[in-house]
Amino acid sequence: MHSPYGAKSGREFRVGIASAILTTIIAAVQPVITRYGAERIDPLLFCAGSMTVAASILAAVMWRRGEIGTLVSRRWTLRLIALSMAGSVATSLALIFGLRRIDAIAGVILLQSEPLYSLLLSTIFLGERPSRRQLIATAVILIGIGSVFGAGRAFTPWSAAGLLFLTPLFWQTSHVISLGVMPPLSEICVTGARVIFAAVALVTILLVSDFNAVTGLADLRTLAVIFATGGFVYVFGSLTWYGAINRLSLAWTTALTIPGVPLLSFLFAIIFLGEHPSGRELGGMLVAVTGVLFLVLGADAGRKTGDVEAAEAVRPPLN
């Protein structure tokens, strides 16, 4: 006789797998749609508008679920603001200004730097000594990214490349914070707080720095890109990611998603942007992905908690 616990565990595992697959597709779309918006829309308007769309949707959901009060909770507010500033404000600005000058294919390669920051944060904040496997994997990732440097002008200007290379550091910081609040907070609550606080910050920056950019909302194509980014990438993408890591281990989820994200991004960039990776770019990306897989394969699929999983925090490129 099957136990209710076993059935529930099986359902949770299947939901986690489905969420990981969906987040892979959405994560692959993000650099492509961001590159598209960066070339055609004011960057601050793109960031503020997309985040406001996401915040409006999730505020309504949180209200119906009775979770909106968490935003002003003495216990959670400061941590949720920190999560939002690192995971949404910093990352969205770095992505849009980086991809404004560098194509999506080069951007995807640079975003493979995330395991470097996972290793750095676990060493600094958790006091862990990196294993030989971690050091080898990190070296392979660096070789993959470094092998593309000097291949034409893919990674120029350097300032834009630097923004994209640093973007995963902000993602990693937000993950260390999010793993400390979820559970008890739900993925919807964490995602909602993250984009709502970010929307407030980005709209303020937009209005103070370039109020006239708001006139760009009169263009229907601009509105369509903003709504697609806010609703599909920011809301649905974040919910599927948190849905995955709340049911599976972070490292094992990454092992499922990491190979698919850059390959799908390359495909989407070719189809929708007309970009074409060079042989050197494709080779460098494959080497970097191999390093990430070496780092995470063999990890337990079960959900861990606390500092143990924070040390494994590697994720695909999402907002």
Side-chain angles (χ1 to χ4, degrees):
M1 184 173 181
H2 297 292
S3 69
Y5 176 81
K8 181 179 178 182
S9 177
R11 285 196 301 270
E12 289 290 291
F13 182 78
R14 289 193 294 273
V15 170
I17 293 293
S19 297
I21 293 171
L22 287 171
T23 204
T24 301
I25 297 170
I26 299 167
V29 167
Q30 185 177 13
V32 176
I33 197 171
T34 302
R35 171 66 175 173
Y36 181 89
E39 292 183 305
R40 296 164 176 83
I41 303 172
D42 178 89
L44 285 177
L45 178 63
F46 178 84
C47 292
S50 301
M51 205 66 68
T52 300
V53 169
S56 300
I57 295 170
L58 287 169
V61 173
M62 289 178 68
W63 179 271
R64 294 199 61 176
R65 289 168 57 92
E67 295 178 320
I68 198 71
T70 307
L71 298 177
V72 291
S73 165
R74 179 177 298 180
R75 179 182 179 185
W76 302 114
T77 298
L78 289 179
R79 277 194 273 185
L80 291 173
I81 290 175
L83 170 66
S84 177
M85 295 304 106
S88 292
V89 175
T91 56
S92 61
L93 290 175
L95 276 175
I96 191 69
F97 282 105
L99 289 170
R100 195 172 177 84
R101 308 287 299 279
I102 286 179
D103 65 36
I105 287 174
V108 170
I109 296 171
L110 288 165
L111 293 174
Q112 301 308 305
S113 62
E114 184 153 9
L116 310 180
Y117 303 115
S118 173
L119 189 65
L120 180 65
L121 291 179
S122 65
T123 301
I124 294 175
F125 294 104
L126 305 180
E128 293 195 351
R129 295 182 61 183
S131 67
R132 180 178 299 179
R133 185 187 186 98
Q134 288 175 311
L135 292 174
I136 293 173
T138 301
V140 172
I141 294 165
L142 281 174
I143 290 169
I145 296 174
S147 67
V148 187
F149 278 86
R153 300 176 60 187
F155 287 169
T156 55
W158 293 101
S159 57
L163 282 175
L164 293 172
F165 189 76
L166 287 173
T167 297
L169 174 60
F170 304 128
W171 280 331
Q172 273 299 306
T173 302
S174 74
H175 270 295
V176 172
I177 300 171
S178 69
L179 289 170
V181 302
M182 187 184 71
L185 300 185
S186 69
E187 56 259 33
I188 290 179
C189 182
V190 172
T191 304
R194 180 173 160 177
V195 298
I196 289 168
F197 286 124
V200 172
L202 290 169
V203 168
T204 301
I205 294 171
L206 173 67
L207 296 179
V208 170
S209 63
D210 189 8
F211 180 81
N212 291 329
V214 177
T215 59
L217 294 175
D219 181 69
L220 292 179
R221 186 169 57 181
T222 296
L223 282 175
V225 174
I226 285 174
F227 271 87
T229 305
F232 182 66
V233 175
Y234 288 177
V235 176
F236 195 49
S238 290
L239 290 179
T240 56
W241 173 252
Y242 282 126
I245 66 171
N246 209 25
R247 293 169 176 86
L248 309 171
S249 84
L250 211 84
W252 199 75
T253 304
T254 303
L256 287 179
T257 58
I258 280 294
V261 171
L263 293 174
L264 283 176
S265 290
F266 275 31
L267 179 62
F268 293 153
I270 292 170
I271 294 173
F272 298 111
L273 300 177
E275 297 180 3
H276 296 280
S278 66
R280 191 165 178 176
E281 286 177 322
L282 186 58
M285 185 275 294
L286 291 174
V287 171
V289 169
T290 299
V292 177
L293 284 173
F294 182 69
L295 184 66
V296 300
L297 280 176
D300 181 12
R303 170 72 161 91
K304 301 183 183 70
T305 58
D307 290 349
V308 173
E309 188 162 55
E312 298 177 343
V314 183
R315 66 181 294 272
L318 276 174
N319 55 77

